[in-house]
Amino acid sequence: MTESLRAQLTQLYERLRAETRERWNRDLPLGELLFDRWERARSLGFGEGASIYHLSLVYGDVEVGSNTWIGPFTLLDGTGGLRIGRNCSISAGVHIYTHDTVKWAVSGGLAPFEHAPVVVGDCCHLGGQSIVAKGVTIGDHSVVGAGSFVNRDLPPYSVSVGAPCRPVGHVEIAPDGNVRLVMDGSDSTDEQRGY
Amino acid sequence: MTESLRAQLTQLYERLRAETRERWNRDLPLGELLFDRWERARSLGFGEGASIYHLSLVYGDVEVGSNTWIGPFTLLDGTGGLRIGRNCSISAGVHIYTHDTVKWAVSGGLAPFEHAPVVVGDCCHLGGQSIVAKGVTIGDHSVVGAGSFVNRDLPPYSVSVGAPCRPVGHVEIAPDGNVRLVMDGSDSTDEQRGY
Amino acid sequence: MTESLRAQLTQLYERLRAETRERWNRDLPLGELLFDRWERARSLGFGEGASIYHLSLVYGDVEVGSNTWIGPFTLLDGTGGLRIGRNCSISAGVHIYTHDTVKWAVSGGLAPFEHAPVVVGDCCHLGGQSIVAKGVTIGDHSVVGAGSFVNRDLPPYSVSVGAPCRPVGHVEIAPDGNVRLVMDGSDSTDEQRGY
């Protein structure tokens, strides 16, 4: 009986895979082929046009604004309270934590978990695999570089990188939507930096 | 026929999703909804009360102590021998390697894989997306910061961060379980650091 | 009806899990147990002997050479054009991007996505969770350290680490396939470095 289910799953996978390749020119794990990213976001009460991959884990109370994109391999921990604005890119592999188990672990389970809220403003870009620790606020229109570890507040219109993540530049937006990322202490922009 | 299976999978997903939201206030990929983290740990011979997410890959011989928590998107490579103590937090996205394919790759497949064992002591906290390379021993009651790359031994009661990961402080535990993380060369504790 | 499907999925999972443990001494998520890594690679037109885990996302046009290994939790973005050579290790958690949404996000959706191609040469090792940004070329026989963020070209036979990722040494390969990683400005090799 399990062999029949296996054959059916393989057939279903191959059909959905073929359809998705044909239609979207992408090739995804079964969970992403089966379930709709926009439906999941709606069912979680996220804003209009927001989407969240199936391979994302959501804990506790997470508020997300309209048109925000949440990628695969992400973790959104709202157990300490998490609010994410509109039009953000929460790139693949981003973890946002509002609790940690540091003291629980090292004390052999004696100390409790610790919690603190996180706010990610509107129109922020969190680069791939960046991590936000509990208690942090990231201002609107900010850029966090891929692989960063954010453990302090970041101001609006900032460009920040590193572990720990610190501001290294700022964002300039022209009225027509044209964007420049200007690095502090130099004339270089993102073009030189290959950011 | 595959269309019927698809409809049934969607129904099952929506039911389990609703139950898990209601009961645990969390929203998870299907594999996590279907399978029990504690059952998997028991079936692997891990210690009592240990748990491991479905979205974790386990290779070779991995020994895990009681009450250790192993998160999603993790990789535990025991092909070179891996032992993890009790009451650890192996955070989401942690990779622990006991082999590497560096020389295999650059030699065009001529050189073999290399292996060396890893030991993670009791009561350790490995932060999100930290990576442990082959051959490393991490002492009991240690903290490894999120996103770190550990390629050398770390002493017991150490706080270490970075890539490569090096000690920057130590852990003090009072008899009542109260924990302080004290940074070396300063009076600052984790409270200032926002660790 | 969903309860019956659930029971069947559990039975199937437990059977495949037992077989995979017995045969390969590894314990994997259901998608990896169900689907074959080599079949997926073939169906994507990758080179002979290449393999790609089920838990990998592939976008757009991605060309992959023979015998290249692509791990779980990876993301291969070919929307801007991506070519990966033969005999590479694309380790678990690696993301290769050929577009970004930085300006799209901070402009509130006014600015378009940006694209640029990536080339990874033959016989390269990209360490776990390393990230390659759009527009980068990595030369043949190169090593990129775990957790690195690559935003500039890397020469052939280079060893590079960090975020941003920069060359710190080079690869020497003897005719018999024996490999040494030599760190610049020192006599140390990978043995000292614990690389």
Side-chain angles (χ1 to χ4, degrees):
Chain A
M1 188 167 84
T2 62
E3 202 43 49
S4 149
L5 177 58
R6 183 192 202 175
Q8 282 179 63
L9 283 167
T10 301
Q11 248 188 299
L12 175 58
Y13 170 60
E14 289 180 355
R15 176 167 75 83
L16 297 176
R17 181 170 84 171
E19 287 171 9
T20 304
R21 286 182 184 176
E22 174 69 20
R23 188 161 176 190
W24 301 107
N25 195 19
R26 52 181 63 179
D27 194 57
L28 306 175
L30 182 56
E32 305 298 349
L33 299 174
L34 281 171
F35 307 121
D36 185 82
R37 295 185 278 139
W38 291 268
E39 186 279 333
R40 186 180 181 197
R42 277 194 304 274
S43 80
L44 287 163
F46 294 177
E48 192 172 330
S51 64
I52 177 168
Y53 271 72
H54 184 69
L55 288 170
S56 175
L57 293 90
V58 179
Y59 298 83
D61 298 316
V62 177
E63 205 179 302
V64 173
S66 60
N67 296 317
T68 284
W69 183 96
I70 299 167
F73 310 134
T74 51
L75 188 160
L76 305 181
D77 163 22
T79 58
L82 172 57
R83 187 151 47 86
I84 299 173
R86 66 174 179 86
N87 211 81
C88 291
S89 294
I90 309 298
S91 302
V94 167
H95 297 187
I96 306 180
Y97 292 99
T98 57
H99 89 290
D100 77 50
T101 62
V102 172
K103 294 182 178 179
W104 172 84
V106 295
S107 70
L110 294 176
F113 292 6
E114 298 191 312
H115 294 83
V118 165
V119 177
V120 177
D122 293 334
C123 305
C124 288
H125 183 274
L126 304 192
Q129 301 185 18
S130 55
I131 299 174
V132 181
K134 70 180 199 297
V136 163
T137 292
I138 298 176
D140 297 343
H141 300 276
S142 291
V143 178
V144 169
S148 298
F149 174 58
V150 186
N151 64 349
R152 282 202 207 149
D153 291 356
L154 300 175
Y157 294 90
S158 58
V159 176
S160 305
V161 301
C165 188
R166 299 290 180 256
V168 294
H170 64 275
V171 173
E172 289 181 0
I173 306 177
D176 64 355
N178 201 25
V179 175
R180 287 179 69 222
L181 306 189
V182 183
M183 298 303 130
D184 293 341
S186 87
D187 293 334
S188 73
T189 68
D190 55 305
E191 264 63 53
Q192 279 79 51
R193 200 179 169 88
Y195 193 76
Chain B
M1 189 166 82
T2 63
E3 201 46 47
S4 148
L5 177 59
R6 183 191 200 176
Q8 283 179 61
L9 282 168
T10 302
Q11 249 188 298
L12 175 59
Y13 170 59
E14 289 179 356
R15 175 167 77 81
L16 296 176
R17 182 171 83 171
E19 287 171 9
T20 305
R21 286 182 185 177
E22 175 68 21
R23 187 162 179 189
W24 301 107
N25 194 20
R26 52 181 62 178
D27 194 58
L28 305 176
L30 182 56
E32 305 297 348
L33 300 174
L34 280 171
F35 307 120
D36 185 82
R37 295 186 278 139
W38 290 268
E39 186 278 333
R40 187 180 180 197
R42 276 194 304 275
S43 80
L44 286 163
F46 294 177
E48 192 171 332
S51 65
I52 177 168
Y53 271 72
H54 184 68
L55 288 170
S56 176
L57 292 91
V58 179
Y59 298 83
D61 297 316
V62 178
E63 205 179 302
V64 174
S66 60
N67 296 316
T68 283
W69 183 97
I70 298 167
F73 310 134
T74 51
L75 189 161
L76 304 181
D77 164 23
T79 57
L82 172 57
R83 188 151 47 86
I84 299 173
R86 66 174 180 87
N87 211 81
C88 291
S89 294
I90 309 298
S91 301
V94 167
H95 297 186
I96 307 181
Y97 292 100
T98 57
H99 88 290
D100 77 51
T101 62
V102 171
K103 294 181 179 178
W104 172 85
V106 296
S107 70
L110 292 176
F113 293 6
E114 298 190 311
H115 294 83
V118 165
V119 177
V120 177
D122 293 335
C123 305
C124 288
H125 182 274
L126 304 192
Q129 300 183 20
S130 55
I131 300 173
V132 181
K134 70 179 198 297
V136 163
T137 294
I138 299 176
D140 298 343
H141 301 275
S142 291
V143 178
V144 169
S148 298
F149 174 59
V150 186
N151 64 350
R152 281 202 208 149
D153 291 356
L154 300 174
Y157 294 90
S158 57
V159 177
S160 306
V161 301
C165 189
R166 299 290 180 258
V168 294
H170 64 277
V171 172
E172 290 180 1
I173 306 177
D176 64 355
N178 202 26
V179 175
R180 286 177 70 220
L181 306 189
V182 183
M183 298 303 131
D184 293 340
S186 87
D187 293 335
S188 74
T189 68
D190 56 305
E191 264 64 50
Q192 279 80 48
R193 200 179 169 89
Y195 193 74
Chain C
M1 189 167 85
T2 62
E3 201 45 47
S4 149
L5 177 58
R6 184 192 201 176
Q8 283 179 62
L9 283 167
T10 302
Q11 248 188 300
L12 175 59
Y13 171 59
E14 289 179 356
R15 176 168 76 83
L16 296 176
R17 182 171 82 169
E19 288 171 9
T20 305
R21 287 181 184 177
E22 174 68 20
R23 187 160 177 191
W24 300 107
N25 195 19
R26 52 181 63 179
D27 194 56
L28 305 176
L30 181 56
E32 304 298 349
L33 299 174
L34 280 170
F35 307 120
D36 184 82
R37 295 186 278 139
W38 290 268
E39 186 279 333
R40 187 180 181 198
R42 276 194 304 274
S43 79
L44 287 163
F46 294 177
E48 192 171 333
S51 64
I52 177 167
Y53 272 72
H54 184 68
L55 289 170
S56 176
L57 293 89
V58 179
Y59 298 83
D61 298 316
V62 178
E63 204 179 303
V64 174
S66 60
N67 295 316
T68 283
W69 183 97
I70 299 167
F73 310 134
T74 51
L75 188 160
L76 304 181
D77 163 23
T79 58
L82 172 56
R83 188 151 47 88
I84 299 173
R86 66 175 178 86
N87 211 80
C88 292
S89 294
I90 310 297
S91 301
V94 167
H95 298 186
I96 305 181
Y97 292 100
T98 57
H99 88 291
D100 77 51
T101 62
V102 172
K103 294 182 178 179
W104 173 84
V106 297
S107 70
L110 294 175
F113 293 6
E114 298 190 312
H115 295 83
V118 165
V119 176
V120 178
D122 293 334
C123 306
C124 288
H125 182 274
L126 304 191
Q129 301 184 19
S130 55
I131 299 174
V132 181
K134 71 180 199 295
V136 163
T137 293
I138 299 177
D140 298 343
H141 300 276
S142 292
V143 178
V144 169
S148 298
F149 174 59
V150 186
N151 64 349
R152 282 203 207 147
D153 290 356
L154 300 175
Y157 293 90
S158 58
V159 177
S160 306
V161 301
C165 188
R166 299 289 179 258
V168 295
H170 64 275
V171 173
E172 290 181 1
I173 307 177
D176 63 356
N178 201 26
V179 175
R180 286 179 70 221
L181 307 188
V182 183
M183 298 303 132
D184 293 338
S186 87
D187 293 334
S188 74
T189 68
D190 55 304
E191 263 63 52
Q192 279 79 51
R193 200 180 168 87
Y195 193 76

